């Protein structure tokens, strides 16, 4: 199968991979899960080579999707590019709500719900599937809270890779249905996502699965990295003052932080970095607890619960990478109550006509909270990540019945 014509033909610049904790060098172009020491693996590039090859003008002339950053992506051969019609996701300002909150800086939502499969998981899983194809994988398995499983199922189905997906049995129904419809064998497990992850780990040798769990393969970060590249380009190669990111496994936060370092290395941006703000739900906030206690690793969060299913992640294997980025950026981690998430969702939907997912609404709630407590200044330009389409989640039932045969008082409607 050939890739669409919009994929730029460029040389590739991956030199090697490395352990995210120890820096141990690992060979590229071969399959990896965790590093030998058991940590997530990062992809490294010949950035001097990228700098010579990639210019802002060249990028600007390419199709509006993440393949425009191909020199900073790992796929070697164009025939292995898997595409379902990706777009650059829009930046949507919230001027009415900003004014109501007394904010003078822009409050901007990056709406990732416009991507294939309706969530930003498409970015990471597309790259994971491309690389699986490139490296000859035929069966992929993963635990999911919904959106990751859907993106894996879709991209893998597109190239004929078999998928097996495990999700908590209370995952939003839409997610379970789309995963199954897109060809994955889906199992609903009586547990949380980390329990599902254990099943993948236990079964992979016997079943011959490639473990595609968050940060247990090197390429989902590279896909999520494109959020940082895209955001920088959309803002004229200038980063905002703060980024509010709903944090589960943290792939996106880690990926964006990596993107900014690579952009600086190739001379596209300067030293300025946004405060990276990890937003979690009060019912599942292991990163917030570790941040507040000054720890580099996060303990498992017991009895995790929240309506924001995408961030119901009791333990993250990349905890130290999340916490390092948050601290280096002078950012922080913050927990918001489910009630504030629901109220935020309602406020943005009614006030700006933008239907967020609960995780996206959590970033808005966190913005309001930190504007009130002074951690974020009113003149700061902030970006809130809405990571999925609000249509993928259960919504409060709307509408009232109307009897068309009865006398209708139209003026009172
Ligand atoms: C997966 C997911 C998150 C968390 O993303 P990570 O990068 O894994 O931290 C947030 N919101 C939604 C909607 C998600 O699907």
């Amino acid at each position: 199968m050939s890739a669409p014509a919009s994929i730029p033909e460029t040389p590739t610049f991956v030199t090697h991979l490395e352990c995210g904790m120890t820096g141990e060098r690992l060979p590229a172009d071969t399959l990896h899960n965790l590093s030998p020491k058991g940590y997530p693996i990062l992809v490294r590039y010949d950035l001097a080579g990228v700098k010579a090859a990639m210019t802002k003008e060249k990028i600007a002339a390419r199709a509006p999707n993440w393949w425009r950053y191909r020199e900073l992506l790992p796929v070697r051969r164009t025939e292995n590019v898997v595409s379902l019609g990706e777009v650059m996701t829009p930046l949507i300002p919230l001027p009415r709500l900003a004014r109501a909150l007394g904010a003078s800086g822009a409050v901007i939502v990056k709406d990732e719900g416009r991507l294939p499969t309706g969530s930003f998981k498409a970015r990471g899983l597309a790259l994971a599937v491309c690389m699986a194809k490139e490296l000859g994988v035929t069966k992929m398995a993963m635990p999911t809270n919904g959106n990751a499983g859907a993106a894996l199922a879709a991209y893998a189905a597109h190239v004929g890779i078999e998928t097996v997906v495990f999700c908590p049995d209370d995952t939003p129904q839409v997610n379970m249905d789309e995963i199954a419809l897109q060809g994955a064998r889906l199992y609903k497990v009586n547990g949380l996502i980390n329990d599902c992850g254990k099943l993948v780990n236990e079964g992979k040798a016997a079943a011959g699965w490639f473990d595609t769990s968050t940060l247990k393969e090197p390429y989902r970060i590279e896909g999520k990295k494109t959020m940082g590249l895209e955001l920088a380009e959309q803002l004229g190669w200038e980063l905002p003052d703060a980024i509010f990111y709903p944090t589960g496994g943290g792939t996106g936060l880690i990926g964006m932080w990596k993107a900014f370092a690579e952009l600086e290395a190739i001379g596209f941006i300067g030293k300025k970095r946004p405060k990276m703000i990890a937003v979690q739900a009060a019912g599942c906030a292991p990163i917030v607890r570790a941040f507040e206690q000054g720890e580099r690793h996060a303990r498992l969060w017991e009895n995790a619960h929240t309506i924001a299913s995408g961030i119901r992640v009791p333990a993250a294997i990349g905890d130290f990478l999340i916490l390092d980025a948050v601290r280096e950026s002078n950012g922080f981690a913050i927990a918001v109550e489910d009630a504030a998430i629901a109220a935020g969702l309602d406020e943005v939907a009614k006030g700006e006509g933008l239907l967020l997912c609960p995780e996206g609404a959590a970033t808005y709630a966190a913005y309001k909270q930190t504007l009130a407590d002074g951690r974020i200044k009113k003149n700061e330009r902030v970006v809130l990540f809405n990571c999925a389409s609000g249509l993928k989640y259960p919504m409060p039932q709307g509408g009232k019945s109307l009897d068309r045969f009865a006398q209708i008082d139209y003026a009172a409607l």
Side-chain angles (χ1 to χ4, degrees), residues 250-325:
T251 326
L253 196 149
I254 297 164
M256 282 194 278
W257 195 242
K258 185 171 187 283
F260 301 152
E262 290 174 0
L263 286 177
E264 186 179 349
I266 63 169
F268 276 33
I269 62 169
K271 290 216 169 322
K272 182 192 158 178
R273 292 289 184 279
K275 282 179 260 201
M276 301 299 286
I277 299 165
V279 179
Q280 298 200 301
C284 181
I287 298 295
V288 180
R289 181 170 62 189
F291 176 77
E292 287 173 352
Q293 297 180 349
E295 283 161 8
R296 197 169 180 223
H297 291 282
R299 270 177 300 124
L300 176 90
W301 189 275
E302 301 288 347
N303 304 316
H305 61 91
T306 168
I307 55 169
S309 45
I311 51 175
R312 193 179 62 173
V313 179
I317 192 156
D319 50 6
F320 64 103
L321 294 170
I322 302 169
L323 287 157
D324 286 356

Side-chain angles (χ1 to χ4, degrees), residues 227-239 260 263 269:
M227 289 192 291
L229 304 175
E230 199 174 294
L231 180 63
E233 187 186 4
Q234 288 172 314
L235 294 176
W237 302 107
E238 193 178 317
L239 301 178
F260 301 152
L263 286 177
I269 62 169

